[in-house]
Structure formats: C-alpha cells, structure tokens
Amino acid sequence: MARVCQVTGKKPQVGHHVSHANNKTIRRFYPALQYRRFWLESEKRWIRLRVSNAGLRVIDKKGIEAVLKELRGRGDI
C-alpha cells in the first residue's frame, strides 16, 4: 500500500543522506502516517483513515464531516 495521506495527499519525498565525508546517497523522507478511526454521526458508523499529522489538524479545524465531503467530491473515498 502506498504511503499517502488520504486527507492532504502527502507522499514520501526524496533527498540525500550526507556523510561526514560529504558523500550523498539517495534516501526517502516518509510522512508521519497514522491509522485513525473517526465516528460519523450522520451515518452512525466508524470510518478508518490513514492520515498524517497535518491531516489530523485539518480534521480538527474543519470537522470530519466536511473533510469527508471533500474526499467524496474528489472521488478518493
């Protein structure tokens, strides 16, 4: 499964490990993803989302119902 936030769309980024000798090797920076359950009062059920910390903040700000409406509008859920 891809490491992508379902709310914000954050994906792994690519960068370098830089050694003391300034050798550069490719590495990946992963978003801090978590599985979280959210209660939907309108549907009387739980939904499970894989969200980043920034995605959790968006849900706290807008509310899960508004965020879910946007996701369904985009066709992500």
Side-chain angles (χ1 to χ4, degrees):
M1 180 178 194
R3 294 178 180 174
V4 178
C5 174
Q6 290 180 292
V7 175
T8 61
K10 285 181 179 279
K11 298 177 183 178
Q13 295 180 328
V14 178
H16 290 100
H17 280 291
V18 180
S19 69
H20 185 68
N22 206 28
N23 297 330
K24 296 174 184 71
T25 57
I26 300 292
R27 62 159 290 183
R28 296 183 82 187
F29 293 93
Y30 295 105
L33 295 178
Q34 305 167 14
Y35 283 104
R36 288 294 165 113
R37 289 190 327 156
F38 298 98
W39 176 251
L40 293 178
E41 187 62 37
S42 61
E43 299 178 17
K44 302 288 188 211
R45 69 182 184 105
W46 291 97
I47 64 161
R48 186 168 169 248
L49 294 177
R50 192 172 195 192
V51 294
S52 63
N53 295 334
L56 286 174
R57 294 184 69 201
V58 168
I59 291 170
D60 284 344
K61 183 177 180 179
K62 294 181 178 180
I64 186 63
E65 300 287 343
V67 171
L68 198 62
K69 184 178 178 183
E70 289 177 11
L71 291 177
R72 288 179 174 154
R74 289 193 321 224
D76 289 344
I77 288 184

